Amino acid sequence: MFQKSKLVLRKAVSHDMDILYKWINDKTVRKVSFNKDAISYETHKKWFRKIINDKNVLIYILDYKSFPVGMIRFENKKNIGMLSYLISKESRGMKLGKQILLM
C-alpha cells in the first residue's frame, strides 16, 4: 500500500512527454481508449505540444515518492467537460486511481 503523504499532483511539463507516450501505448490503456490503435511518437509529440499550452486543457502528473505513476486530464471541448486518467502499468493495484480522482 502507498503512503498518501508521498503523493503529489503536479502540472505536466514538457519533460513528461516521453513517459506519457509510454503510458498511452500500454495495451490495457489502448483497450479502454476511444482510439484503440497504437499512437506513433510523431503523432504523440504533435498532440502533446498542442495540449500542453491549450487553455482548455489541464493535464497533471501524479508522483509517488517523486516518481511519476499516473496522469489525469481535464478538457473543455465545445463546453463539454471531459476527464481522462490512467495509472502506469507498474503502479496499478495500489488504489491510485481513486486517489488521483480525489486529488
Side-chain angles (χ1 to χ4, degrees):
M1 195 60 157
F2 65 91
Q3 297 172 309
K4 286 184 186 180
S5 63
K6 302 287 183 177
L7 289 172
V8 174
L9 196 61
R10 62 173 175 79
K11 191 162 177 143
V13 293
S14 60
H15 73 265
D16 293 314
M17 183 173 64
D18 288 343
I19 192 74
L20 287 172
Y21 175 70
K22 175 186 171 189
W23 291 345
I24 64 158
N25 275 312
D26 175 78
K27 288 180 183 180
T28 302
V29 172
R30 294 284 17 109
K31 190 176 179 179
V32 297
S33 297
F34 290 120
N35 175 6
K36 310 284 186 220
D37 300 327
I39 308 294
S40 74
Y41 190 67
E42 284 304 312
T43 299
H44 175 71
K45 276 195 329 189
K46 288 177 189 173
W47 170 83
F48 186 81
R49 288 180 180 153
K50 178 182 170 194
I51 64 107
I52 198 73
N53 296 310
D54 188 331
K55 63 180 175 63
N56 291 308
V57 179
L58 298 173
I59 186 165
Y60 296 93
I61 302 296
L62 181 65
D63 285 340
Y64 181 59
K65 297 182 179 179
S66 301
F67 184 77
V69 295
M71 177 278 305
I72 190 163
R73 183 177 84 227
F74 304 93
E75 191 167 349
N76 180 1
K77 276 192 170 182
K78 299 178 183 177
N79 292 324
I80 297 174
M82 293 179 58
L83 167 73
S84 174
Y85 75 96
L86 63 82
I87 301 300
S88 70
K89 181 179 182 177
E90 301 80 14
S91 303
R92 293 180 193 143
M94 297 171 55
K95 301 188 183 209
L96 292 173
K98 178 181 177 181
Q99 290 304 308
I100 200 169
L101 290 169
L102 289 172
M103 291 174 80

